[in-house]
Amino acid sequence: MMSPKLRQFLATHPGASGSLSNALSEAFASRRVQLYYFYTDDTNVARAFHYYPDESSVGIAIQENQQPSDQCICLIFETLNSEREKQFQTFSEEAQAGTISRTNFAIGILRQEFVAVKRMKVLLRHFNFSKTEIAASDYYKSFMDCPNTFDGFLSYTTKLWSQGNDQMTFYEQQ
């Protein structure tokens, strides 16, 4: 199911392995998870995302050609984020019905993602990454430096992404 690099990483990082195991058990107690890997060098493509192929399944796609620590972070984050399915669905239905503005749709989706970001920050503290692993990770510092307020989170995500490619704009376009 997982890439060989991720399996090896988890074997040497019990904190990360335990967090992943707990997140998967909690999120998929009554749903099925399908894990897919893809390869890309396009920096404009999300390195991981989740989707709902049917009512009882969640698909998680992860870019394979990235650090195994980042594969792990992506997998846990998307697992946590997938638990907000009902909220995401409600916003999507409101958008399709035209009862919510583009901006309010984007803010609603980002509020749901912020819940997963806060949970991820807590989990990362127990991973015991070395300084070298932290330096090599594209995601560790991004999560750990994320502000603890939603307004701070919105400003922070805008700074992380190039102009026109920030999360707010992305969700407004959706």
Side-chain angles (χ1 to χ4, degrees), residues 71-85:
Q71 286 184 39
C72 180
I73 291 169
C74 286
L75 179 54
I76 294 173
F77 177 74
E78 292 302 332
T79 297
L80 298 173
N81 207 19
S82 77
E83 292 181 289
R84 315 296 295 167
E85 178 179 8

Side-chain angles (χ1 to χ4, degrees), residues 26-166:
E26 183 179 312
F28 302 115
S30 62
R31 302 182 297 168
R32 186 176 55 143
V33 63
Q34 300 167 326
L35 184 58
Y36 300 97
Y37 281 94
F38 65 93
Y39 295 84
T40 185
D41 292 323
D42 186 348
T43 57
N44 292 318
V45 173
R47 292 191 187 179
F49 57 91
H50 73 276
Y51 60 96
Y52 308 101
D54 57 58
E55 287 185 23
S56 63
S57 299
V58 176
I60 297 178
I62 298 175
Q63 180 183 337
E64 202 286 332
N65 56 326
Q66 63 181 323
Q67 290 292 324
S69 59
D70 286 338
Q71 286 184 39
C72 180
I73 291 169
C74 286
L75 179 54
I76 294 173
F77 177 74
E78 292 302 332
T79 297
L80 298 173
N81 207 19
S82 77
E83 292 181 289
R84 315 296 295 167
E85 178 179 8
K86 287 181 180 30
Q87 293 86 347
F88 290 134
Q89 185 63 34
T90 298
F91 285 116
S92 294
E93 289 169 1
E94 290 175 354
Q96 289 173 355
T99 59
I100 189 171
S101 70
R102 289 178 185 266
T103 299
N104 286 340
F105 171 78
I107 288 171
I109 296 294
L110 287 168
R111 278 192 189 282
Q112 301 310 310
E113 290 192 347
F114 183 56
V115 171
V117 168
K118 290 191 300 185
R119 288 178 66 194
M120 190 72 218
K121 278 182 73 167
V122 171
L123 294 176
L124 281 172
R125 291 186 181 106
H126 305 288
F127 282 22
N128 297 321
F129 285 175
S130 69
K131 289 180 182 181
T132 304
E133 289 169 324
I134 291 170
S137 171
D138 290 330
Y139 286 111
Y140 184 89
K141 187 171 175 20
S142 296
F143 276 103
M144 295 308 289
D145 289 349
C146 185
N148 293 321
T149 66
F150 181 69
D151 289 337
F153 169 73
L154 283 180
S155 296
Y156 183 69
T157 58
T158 300
K159 291 175 191 173
L160 285 179
W161 301 95
S162 60
Q163 191 164 6
N165 195 29
D166 64 89

